[in-house]
Amino acid sequence: MRTILEANSKPNCKFQILSNPEFLAEGTAIADLFSPDRVLIGSLQTQEGKDAAVSLAEVYAHWVPRERILTVGLWSSELSKLAANAMLAQRISSINALSAICEATGANIDEVAHAVGRDSRVGPKFLKASVGFGGSCFQKDILNLVYLSESLHLPEVAAYWRQVVEMNEYQKRRFSKRVVDTLFNTITGKRIAVLGFAFKADTGDTRESAAITLVKDFVAERALVNLYDPKVPHEQIWLDLAEAMPVTPAATIQKQVQICGSALEACKNAEAVVIATEWKEFREIDWETVYAGMNKPAFVFDGRMLIDVEKLRDIGFKVAVIGRGERL
């Protein structure tokens, strides 16, 4: 960009290129904009570049405290954006890897995460086990970091960061396999209610959503899937499933997948309920009504650690929660 501007600039007209990455999270973007953890401004470390960075910092200083405005080198700014998302995703993949050990040993990943998070050097954030992370940023930025490492001839560094994405994919496959294994090693012809299709609550974004992988795996096993999400448009769901299963005819997908208007409707006549997104309304489901309308034995698979396990077991459900080793 700098080369193009300099080649086309008029005499005595100079440009400075600044890197000002955004750190907004979906669902909290406005709050993040008004009260950011930091504002990052990267520039060439020439006097002209530093002056340009100061000029942009003056704009942010109207509402952001000065100590939160960081001026750094151009490469440092660009790399910091990738590094922040990569390290957050790394924490999720790390706790998800430990959740697999918990399920195999009988440990409880919630207890492990709480104990680890009490260490002031680690902290509690992003230590919530789940069926896997999604969204437009984490995987894209990690793969950008992988590509950058490979282009700089750093294969070991590339392999390290690629493993974060591979662990995330493994977590999704592992969860869908647990559903199949628990339902007596076959889900052919069985009806499974998948609650949630967005990659996280409080957004309609489905990019890289774990639910897409789950539904794809269930369809491949010839299950019947009832889907419900309070925000994702039906058209988007069909587009995502068609893209995820390019060799499966659209008629086959629509024969096996039904999009429902409520959680209760999705759960009716199902053998199992799978919680894929942490929507608040899924914490408040009338589980006694759900149980009455399901085929027996009725299973619940919680991929977001939302439910009161003992309450559901008292109702009669067979319950499996990510990162918990209780045997059904």
Side-chain angles (χ1 to χ4, degrees), residues 73-325:
L74 203 60
W75 262 107
S76 294
S77 177
E78 290 291 300
L79 188 57
S80 294
K81 167 64 175 176
L82 299 182
N85 280 338
M87 295 186 78
L88 291 174
Q90 179 194 54
R91 284 173 70 94
I92 297 172
S93 281
S94 294
I95 204 68
N96 282 343
L98 290 169
S99 75
I101 299 176
C102 287
E103 290 173 29
T105 60
N108 184 325
I109 193 60
D110 243 355
E111 294 173 347
V112 173
H114 180 68
V116 171
R118 292 297 292 269
D119 188 321
S120 61
R121 298 167 300 176
V122 178
K125 292 185 177 180
F126 281 79
L127 291 181
K128 185 83 169 177
S130 70
V131 69
F133 63 76
S136 63
C137 291
F138 280 1
Q139 180 165 308
K140 169 180 65 65
D141 284 352
I142 294 170
L143 293 177
N144 279 340
L145 203 54
V146 170
Y147 175 80
L148 178 64
S149 301
E150 290 176 338
S151 67
L152 295 172
H153 308 293
L154 301 169
E156 292 84 1
V157 178
Y160 176 83
W161 288 112
R162 186 182 290 108
Q163 187 59 37
V164 174
V165 175
E166 291 178 358
M167 178 55 62
N168 191 54
E169 294 303 311
Y170 164 74
Q171 183 77 343
K172 291 184 278 189
R173 292 195 309 270
R174 192 176 70 80
F175 188 73
S176 61
K177 184 177 184 299
R178 189 179 185 188
V179 173
V180 175
D181 291 349
T182 303
L183 292 177
F184 314 109
N185 297 312
T186 180
I187 56 174
T188 299
K190 295 178 181 177
R191 190 169 298 279
I192 298 175
V194 176
L195 302 185
F197 199 75
F199 84 90
K200 71 173 185 177
D202 302 320
T203 177
D205 195 343
T206 61
R207 285 175 288 183
E208 307 297 337
S209 173
I212 297 174
T213 301
L214 296 181
V215 174
K216 175 185 175 183
D217 290 348
F218 296 155
V219 169
E221 293 284 341
R222 292 182 289 178
L224 303 174
V225 178
N226 286 358
L227 254 178
Y228 168 68
D229 188 283
K231 291 292 183 184
V232 179
H234 293 189
E235 298 79 12
Q236 186 62 50
I237 293 175
W238 294 126
L239 283 172
D240 289 332
L241 294 180
E243 185 176 334
M245 296 177 275
V247 299
T248 304
T252 301
I253 297 174
Q254 294 186 15
K255 183 179 179 181
Q256 290 182 240
V257 178
Q258 178 181 348
I259 302 175
C260 302
S262 70
L264 289 179
E265 181 187 344
C267 296
K268 191 172 184 180
N269 297 322
E271 269 81 15
V273 177
V274 174
I275 300 176
T277 309
E278 68 279 18
W279 285 105
K280 181 182 177 182
E281 70 175 80
F282 297 159
R283 300 177 186 270
E284 302 163 354
I285 291 174
D286 182 350
W287 286 107
E288 291 185 354
T289 300
V290 170
Y291 184 76
M294 289 180 64
N295 294 323
K296 310 299 186 296
F299 295 86
V300 174
F301 298 89
D302 187 357
R304 297 291 176 178
M305 296 197 295
L306 289 185
I307 61 174
D308 183 333
V309 175
E310 295 308 318
K311 177 183 176 182
L312 264 67
R313 285 181 176 158
D314 288 344
I315 291 172
F317 287 102
K318 306 291 185 182
V319 183
V321 181
I322 200 108
R324 294 190 187 180

Side-chain angles (χ1 to χ4, degrees), residues 19-32:
S19 168
N20 182 208
E22 55 84 12
F23 296 95
L24 309 179
E26 289 194 57
T28 60
I30 300 302
D32 295 341

